[in-house]
Amino acid sequence: MWELGPDADEPEWHSVESPFEKTLYEVVSTAEGPYAIGSGGTLVANRHDGTQEPDWEVILDDGPKTRDNQLRGLDVTDDGKRIWFAGSSGALGCYDVVERRKFDYSSPKEMTSTWEGLAVAGKRGSEKVLVANGSGEILPFTIDGFDENWGVVHKPAKKGSKVAALAAGPDGYGYAVDTSGNAFKTTRDDGWEKIGIVNAQVKFYDIFAGPDNRVYVAAGDGRIYRYDDSYHDWTPIGVTDGGALRAFDIHGDQMVVLGNDGSIYQRDDEERWQEVHSGTSNDLLDLTLGEPDVAVGKSGTILQRPRGRTEHEGLSPDADQFDARGEYWDGDDNDPGETGDGTDGDGTTDGATTGDSSTGGETTT
């Protein structure tokens, strides 16, 4: 007999079978479950609430203009009811996850170059959106219902450096980092101000804007860079010596970061970074922390873990834990699934159970 220790019940990442093999670039949590985008104009979703077996399905397979444009930028409104996505050849659109309707806004202002990033602030029907292309141009626009109001295109660096990532803070300000190590923040007059050179010697992959003007950037040197608006200063936070950090997300006091070859790093509050088991060597490209946590990557890779409960949370009638393969820990002398009085959980004596009766019903959308 061996002891698993106090962390044995920590939620675990596990691979999810999916009906597609296309690379998934970004994923967000919505009011109706996680949604992800990928190559060929693919939009996929798991529209369960995270308490049931994952069931991913293809929502769109040809982009907003039905032209198979690759989708690379994705974000969700503050209320989780509408997602926006953008990609190659000026592809731009949104999908209402509640009404399950797609809307096409492609080629705004006759801009047909590839959109590389996108950020959204505000609730459904009153969004503020930023979308950036490979030439370093950022187009702001607002939505009133479904009516768009295109803003003025800006190049924050004025040199055409490619925008590596965009983010929208809870205060409605937008943030951007480019491939030259510059960081920018929107101003009240719809312009941009430079908030420093983070590190011009490394490549940036992802950006997050949180409360109190705290901004974090994931970089190619194994570090997260944190911006403190009070001091107008960037602080490097070492995560790993193993290469680039491709994406990250924050949920409460927890930060989770994706590295190379399927690696996942996690820190809770002020604890030290630890690498957690992912079960895959495929490159992971984006993640979202919600209900459930989801990471996506190459060849249709999808990882999930529950949030707020343990992965194996579920009890057989004799209070032993189980997973989908049956009872994996039996702490008594009874058969798996058998209660202390020798009966099954339903009062019968003919056969063991694996705890399947504990799964909830399907969420109605």
Side-chain angles (χ1 to χ4, degrees):
M1 183 65 66
W2 58 85
E3 297 297 331
L4 298 182
D7 296 329
D9 288 337
E10 285 298 309
E12 300 171 357
W13 292 94
H14 62 273
S15 296
V16 176
E17 291 188 9
S18 59
F20 39 82
E21 296 182 353
K22 295 182 178 180
T23 294
L24 300 174
Y25 294 106
E26 295 204 6
V27 61
V28 294
S29 299
T30 78
E32 299 294 327
Y35 278 69
I37 56 169
S39 58
T42 302
L43 174 67
V44 299
N46 174 11
R47 296 197 274 207
H48 288 169
D49 63 3
T51 62
Q52 307 169 56
E53 287 299 310
D55 186 13
W56 286 81
E57 58 183 317
V58 176
I59 307 302
L60 304 174
D61 60 5
D62 51 11
K65 295 186 68 174
T66 66
R67 294 183 180 179
D68 298 327
N69 299 121
Q70 186 183 81
L71 299 177
R72 295 300 296 267
L74 175 69
D75 206 356
V76 61
T77 55
D78 293 347
D79 55 9
K81 296 181 179 180
R82 186 182 291 174
I83 58 173
W84 283 85
F85 40 81
S88 61
S89 301
L92 177 64
C94 70
Y95 183 82
D96 191 303
V97 302
V98 178
E99 298 182 1
R100 301 192 176 184
R101 298 174 60 193
K102 178 191 74 172
F103 300 86
D104 181 25
Y105 295 87
S106 297
S107 305
K109 291 193 168 185
E110 300 183 356
M111 300 177 69
T112 58
S113 59
T114 296
W115 300 114
E116 301 286 350
L118 183 146
V120 178
K123 296 182 179 180
R124 177 181 63 170
S126 58
E127 299 100 310
K128 298 196 303 181
V129 186
L130 297 171
V131 60
N133 63 21
S135 300
E137 297 175 320
I138 300 179
L139 172 66
F141 65 93
T142 58
I143 296 292
D144 183 5
F146 290 101
D147 297 329
E148 74 280 2
N149 180 20
W150 306 115
V152 178
V153 176
H154 288 276
K155 281 189 177 183
K158 298 182 172 61
K159 295 180 180 179
S161 296
K162 179 180 175 180
V163 173
L166 290 168
D171 53 4
Y173 284 92
Y175 297 85
V177 288
D178 67 16
T179 53
S180 297
N182 298 304
F184 305 92
K185 178 182 178 181
T186 55
T187 63
R188 292 186 179 277
D189 59 357
D190 294 328
W192 290 85
E193 63 175 337
K194 190 173 180 180
I195 56 174
I197 296 178
V198 183
N199 187 335
Q201 307 303 316
V202 299
K203 185 176 181 179
F204 302 122
Y205 290 92
D206 198 12
I207 185 172
F208 176 93
D212 302 322
N213 296 312
R214 281 291 182 93
V215 180
Y216 298 83
V217 176
D221 60 354
R223 297 176 179 177
I224 295 288
Y225 289 85
R226 182 184 65 214
Y227 177 72
D228 191 330
D229 190 62
S230 299
Y231 301 97
H232 304 286
D233 189 28
W234 290 90
T235 302
I237 303 171
V239 178
T240 176
D241 295 328
L245 303 179
R246 299 185 176 275
F248 68 104
D249 198 12
I250 298 174
H251 192 287
D253 293 330
Q254 183 182 84
M255 179 183 291
V256 178
V257 184
L258 303 181
N260 289 330
D261 302 321
S263 58
I264 300 178
Y265 304 91
Q266 179 174 306
R267 187 176 77 172
D268 295 275
D269 199 8
E270 297 301 323
E271 295 182 8
R272 305 180 71 175
W273 289 99
Q274 62 175 329
E275 184 172 1
V276 297
H277 180 66
S278 70
T280 183
S281 60
N282 289 344
D283 284 339
L284 299 173
L285 304 178
D286 196 30
L287 84 160
T288 181
L289 302 183
E291 297 181 0
D293 298 339
V294 180
V296 298
K298 291 186 176 180
S299 303
T301 301
I302 301 177
L303 304 182
Q304 284 193 190
R305 71 172 179 179
R307 171 152 293 276
R309 64 182 179 89
T310 62
E311 169 63 13
H312 303 295
E313 183 175 294
L315 299 176
S316 63
D318 58 349
D320 293 333
Q321 292 180 319
F322 67 86
D323 59 18
R325 293 171 295 182
E327 207 167 46
Y328 69 91
W329 164 251
D330 196 35
D332 53 35
D333 295 329
N334 301 315
D335 290 333
E338 191 177 67
T339 63
D341 59 5
T343 65
D344 292 339
D346 57 1
T348 65
T349 58
D350 54 349
T353 66
T354 60
D356 292 338
S357 62
S358 70
T359 47
E362 183 175 358
T363 301
T364 302
T365 57

